Amino acid sequence: MKRTSPQKRTTIYDLAELAGTSASAVSAVLNGNWKKRRISAKLAERITKLAEEQGYALNMQASVLRRERSKIIGMIVPKYDNRYFGSIVEQFEALARERGLFPIVTCTRRDPALEVEAARAMLSYQVDCLIATGATDPDRIVDLCAASGVRTVNLDLPGSRAPSVISDNYGGALELTRRVLANCEREYGVKAPLLFVGGRGTDHNTMERMRGFRDAHAEAGIPVDETLVLPCGYAPEKAEQAMRQLAGRTHDLPRGMFVNSTISLEGVMRWIRHSGHYAERMPHLGCFDWDPFVAMLGDHIEMVRQDVPNMLQAVFAIIDSGATEPTVVQVPPIMEKVG
Amino acid sequence: MKRTSPQKRTTIYDLAELAGTSASAVSAVLNGNWKKRRISAKLAERITKLAEEQGYALNMQASVLRRERSKIIGMIVPKYDNRYFGSIVEQFEALARERGLFPIVTCTRRDPALEVEAARAMLSYQVDCLIATGATDPDRIVDLCAASGVRTVNLDLPGSRAPSVISDNYGGALELTRRVLANCEREYGVKAPLLFVGGRGTDHNTMERMRGFRDAHAEAGIPVDETLVLPCGYAPEKAEQAMRQLAGRTHDLPRGMFVNSTISLEGVMRWIRHSGHYAERMPHLGCFDWDPFVAMLGDHIEMVRQDVPNMLQAVFAIIDSGATEPTVVQVPPIMEKVG
DNA sequence: CATCTTTGCTCAATCGATGAAGCAAGAATT
DNA sequence: AATTCTTGCTTCATCGATTGAGCAAAGATG
């Protein structure tokens, strides 16, 4: 993979030669501080026109090397396969650009080793700041960055060594569980514990959501059935397998479920379809995460939509303010109406 | 937004000083060609250990500036809000990393101005190669890149000045239309033209899909109803509005539809739900694009899934081969089974 | 007319990594 | 013992942009 042509890119030296002036004048004009450097408007215009004609493109490598700030902002993100992370990345890019920063994003597929490798790569590219989204071990990344004097903000999953912005997982799960319990009671007239499926039992979000799940049961006077709490991982296959195993253990399947992410829901729905266990009547579902097509799947599904715009506003507020204390900002999620 | 601490990053000069050797020895050791440069294993080990201890991170800007290839590969992509582009980006990153390249991706929100701006930014970062995914004006981007001697590959939408990898839109649409027509005829016993909705009438893909749509009608001996061909744009709102307007014009709504992307389908489904026009019986749908939850929406939807793994293999085959002629590789999409 | 200001530039060092060229010391060869 | 090779480094120029320092000419001031 080599460049098409051996032709050199145009540099400020080439432009200086063409304009009969010095490289430093060209630089001053092209990066906009020619007024400060007292370059005449006439020369400025001549240089600008030449640059355009020659298709000049700044060499960021050289520029960044010389400056002390790169204006590059990095983000690592677990996956691109759901609306939540998709909109996080889109918002991130938009807000970064608004501030004149160059966003670089990379996906780490929930792989701790890749997370670290990606963080290292970003440091090599001299990012001024790194957003660690849904990182397995955010503190590890913060430490790596701190060693190079690079600030970090944790998003989606909190860490203990840098500011974090997360959803109010407890509050969202509490309300979601309440609604699903109420839906079940309304339809079946009985108070029965729900299933909890999906997510990693070790991650903060899943633990908080389980806490909300339990408290909502307690509120309703329903004892949680521990055999129905299955934090089996996020992947659809994991969730599907967990359901299959559960069905193998009991014939009394729950009439309501708390599904921890749309990704897990994919597996749960697949199982529901294929197993035929709920052929006569669909269970009441609550999903912690939102997807437009899930919303159309039927009136038996409640969703919690994480408030991505506000989360990213909070992230950039932290960045803009320069804060580095390990605070946790909790952004309330949005309950999506049934239907 | 400044660095946390004023602490300098460790450079090869710092390491050289600590090891009592020269910067060039350090460089040779750390970039792995110390054998070629005849550095002793003893010194190499000492330097390696020191680098680790000091948390040394290569300054890529400096490195890239010096080398003539950056090993950075860029991609621009319209959106992150659907499975198709999401998996394109994931695959792209994985394949790039496999080849020791550093992937940078940026999303241009289907905005031609942003596309150009993003391409310029990538050029400034010295990308060795740029993949233009779903670009509104791929040739414009190719020209920009060519001026800097940077190779381009078009993905998803073809261009006339660089190699392109796209789905077989005609073939996919032909088969999809056939199936929807067959489903309608099976259920209603009548041969009636379908609705075509979504996409941009000016883009290659939409035109090819419309051609497949028309040819499938011709095959079945059904005349296409031109008032039912609505390439209104991809956005859900556009599709929803198009449906609303159609319903205002006629009371005889089609029993089958070809929807050009899941994004447009979102709007169509919303309208179907809210308008109540299909309350008694859902229309037969065909969607050009795949989404797992759409697949669960019911047995009345057929989907065409674009073959992302093969498309990206093709892209990297082109990159690896160094080809630059404006060929078009058409990758057959996959028909997803009903249900 | 002499001095001071202002204007409009140029010079040269610098950022960190790289690699061609060179050099000194020891080993091998004649 | 004299010469050539080999080993194991170091020196230095370079990539392109940035910026503090400096300088010549024109203009203003006394």
Side-chain angles (χ1 to χ4, degrees), chain A residues 4, chain B residues 129-132 138-139 142 150-166 314-315 317-319 321-329:
Chain A
T4 317
Chain B
C129 176
L130 181 64
I131 316 295
D139 290 343
V142 173
V150 169
R151 300 182 46 209
T152 311
V153 178
N154 300 309
L155 179 57
D156 184 56
L157 277 176
S160 64
R161 296 223 239 293
S164 304
V165 175
I166 62 174
V315 167
I318 289 168
I319 293 171
S321 79
T324 59
E325 313 81 54
T327 53
V328 176
V329 176

Side-chain angles (χ1 to χ4, degrees), chain B residues 195-271:
Chain B
L195 172 73
F196 182 104
V197 61
R200 293 178 175 174
T202 52
D203 79 29
H204 172 94
N205 292 357
T206 299
M207 291 191 318
E208 281 296 284
R209 293 173 195 173
M210 282 169 42
R211 195 162 67 85
F213 177 84
R214 288 177 199 284
D215 282 7
H217 278 73
E219 247 180 35
I222 303 173
V224 169
D225 179 346
E226 294 302 332
T227 66
L228 294 182
V229 178
L230 310 170
C232 54
Y234 287 102
E237 300 73 35
K238 298 276 183 66
E240 193 171 0
Q241 192 193 1
M243 296 304 295
R244 200 164 34 237
Q245 290 175 347
L246 176 69
R249 285 200 303 270
T250 175
H251 292 284
D252 186 24
L253 288 164
R255 302 302 317 170
M257 309 179 184
F258 182 117
V259 186
N260 193 7
S261 82
T262 48
I263 285 300
S264 300
L265 181 64
E266 204 182 311
V268 171
M269 290 299 294
R270 212 149 64 194
W271 175 81

Side-chain angles (χ1 to χ4, degrees), chain B residues 44-326:
Chain B
E45 201 181 346
R46 189 148 45 94
I47 289 174
T48 311
K49 217 180 68 194
L50 258 173
E52 201 127 334
E53 283 170 16
Q54 300 292 314
Y56 169 81
L58 174 65
N59 184 328
M60 271 296 175
Q61 314 299 350
S63 178
V64 166
L65 176 60
R66 191 53 180 47
R67 294 180 328 218
E68 104 293 15
R69 279 192 44 212
S70 69
K71 300 195 169 196
I72 302 175
I73 181 168
M75 170 177 267
I76 63 174
V77 77
K79 296 280 285 174
Y80 293 115
D81 65 356
N82 61 76
R83 286 301 190 98
Y84 177 51
F85 290 133
S87 56
I88 283 179
V89 174
E90 266 191 51
Q91 287 275 330
F92 168 69
E93 288 192 7
L95 293 177
R97 264 194 275 266
E98 256 175 34
R99 286 163 173 75
L101 303 172
F102 184 78
I104 72 183
V105 181
T106 204
C107 126
T108 55
R109 302 193 266 166
R110 299 188 195 284
D111 172 350
L114 237 184
E115 278 171 15
V116 170
E117 200 193 311
R120 271 193 220 283
M122 300 237 159
L123 289 177
S124 279
Y125 283 95
Q126 311 297 109
V127 292
D128 282 338
C129 176
L130 181 64
I131 316 295
T133 309
T136 319
D137 188 356
D139 290 343
R140 177 81 196 285
I141 290 167
V142 173
D143 287 347
L144 266 176
C145 290
S148 295
V150 169
R151 300 182 46 209
T152 311
V153 178
N154 300 309
L155 179 57
D156 184 56
L157 277 176
S160 64
R161 296 223 239 293
S164 304
V165 175
I166 62 174
S167 285
D168 176 3
N169 291 291
Y170 172 77
L174 183 70
E175 182 57 27
L176 185 63
T177 310
R178 278 179 188 149
R179 294 193 179 203
V180 179
L181 284 171
N183 290 344
C184 283
E185 191 176 349
R186 191 178 321 114
E187 180 165 354
Y188 302 105
V190 288
K191 291 185 163 206
L194 304 182
L195 172 73
F196 182 104
V197 61
R200 293 178 175 174
T202 52
D203 79 29
H204 172 94
N205 292 357
T206 299
M207 291 191 318
E208 281 296 284
R209 293 173 195 173
M210 282 169 42
R211 195 162 67 85
F213 177 84
R214 288 177 199 284
D215 282 7
H217 278 73
E219 247 180 35
I222 303 173
V224 169
D225 179 346
E226 294 302 332
T227 66
L228 294 182
V229 178
L230 310 170
C232 54
Y234 287 102
E237 300 73 35
K238 298 276 183 66
E240 193 171 0
Q241 192 193 1
M243 296 304 295
R244 200 164 34 237
Q245 290 175 347
L246 176 69
R249 285 200 303 270
T250 175
H251 292 284
D252 186 24
L253 288 164
R255 302 302 317 170
M257 309 179 184
F258 182 117
V259 186
N260 193 7
S261 82
T262 48
I263 285 300
S264 300
L265 181 64
E266 204 182 311
V268 171
M269 290 299 294
R270 212 149 64 194
W271 175 81
I272 290 179
R273 298 285 164 128
H274 292 36
S275 74
H277 275 293
Y278 289 92
E280 353 69 70
R281 198 157 203 81
M282 284 295 281
H284 286 282
L285 296 176
C287 178
F288 203 108
D289 258 341
W290 176 87
D291 178 284
F293 291 114
V294 169
M296 295 174 184
L297 241 33
D299 56 4
H300 54 93
I301 305 186
E302 301 269 350
M303 273 177 292
V304 171
R305 183 176 190 165
Q306 306 193 61
D307 188 350
V308 173
N310 274 320
M311 291 173 82
L312 274 131
Q313 287 294 348
V315 167
F316 277 93
I318 289 168
I319 293 171
D320 294 342
S321 79
T324 59
E325 313 81 54

